[in-house]
Amino acid sequence: MVSAIKERSMFTYIVLSVLTLGIYHIVFWTKLSKDVNALCEGDGKKTMKYVFCFLLNIVTVGIFGFIWKFKLAKRLQENAARYDLKFSEGGALVVVLAIVFAFFPVAQAVLIKNFNKLAVAYNDYNGLVDYTENIFADEEE
C-alpha cells in the first residue's frame, strides 16, 4: 500500500537541529532519504541512508556530504518530470551553494523545497491526502 509522504519544514529542521545539538539533523535527513526512495521508486537508483552518509562524511572530512547532496539533488531533478515538474537546481548548484554558504543552510533549503514539491505531486498522483494541511476541508462544503 502506498502511503502519503509529508512535506518537511525548513523552520522545524533548523530549530530542532539546534535544540537537539544536531541529533534531529541526522533523523531529518534519514527520514527524508527514505521518502526520496519512495518518491523516485522505479528509477533504478537508491538514495543512501543519511546515517551512513554522516559517518562517511566524518571519515572523509566533509567531502562525502557534498557527494551525497549532489546525488540527492540530481535524483530529485531527474525524477521531477515524472510528476510534470522541472527543477532548475541540479546537483552542481546544490554543491556550490553548500560550499559558498557553508554556515547557512541554503543548499538544504533548496533540497527541502524540491523534495516538498515532489511530495505534493506524488501524493496528488497517487490520490493520497495529507490530512495535516486542511483538517476542516469537509466542513467548508
Side-chain angles (χ1 to χ4, degrees), residues 62-125:
I63 294 171
F64 192 80
F66 295 124
I67 295 169
W68 189 84
K69 285 179 183 121
F70 176 87
K71 288 183 175 184
L72 179 62
K74 185 177 176 190
R75 189 169 185 207
L76 293 173
Q77 185 181 39
E78 289 171 351
N79 281 276
R82 292 169 69 180
Y83 303 105
D84 294 325
L85 298 171
K86 184 176 180 182
F87 300 147
S88 59
E89 306 91 0
L93 178 64
V94 167
V95 169
V96 168
L97 291 173
I99 292 169
V100 172
F101 298 103
F103 298 105
F104 302 100
V106 176
Q108 291 88 332
V110 169
L111 290 170
I112 292 168
K113 176 188 67 101
N114 288 349
F115 170 83
N116 285 339
K117 286 182 180 180
L118 269 182
V120 168
Y122 173 87
N123 291 338
D124 287 344
Y125 177 81

Side-chain angles (χ1 to χ4, degrees), residues 37-78:
N37 285 329
L39 286 172
C40 303
E41 187 175 3
D43 69 351
K45 299 177 184 176
K46 187 163 177 136
T47 299
M48 175 189 283
K49 292 182 181 178
Y50 188 75
V51 173
F52 300 124
C53 169
F54 182 77
L55 296 173
L56 284 170
N57 198 36
I58 293 170
V59 172
T60 62
V61 194
I63 294 171
F64 192 80
F66 295 124
I67 295 169
W68 189 84
K69 285 179 183 121
F70 176 87
K71 288 183 175 184
L72 179 62
K74 185 177 176 190
R75 189 169 185 207
L76 293 173
Q77 185 181 39
E78 289 171 351

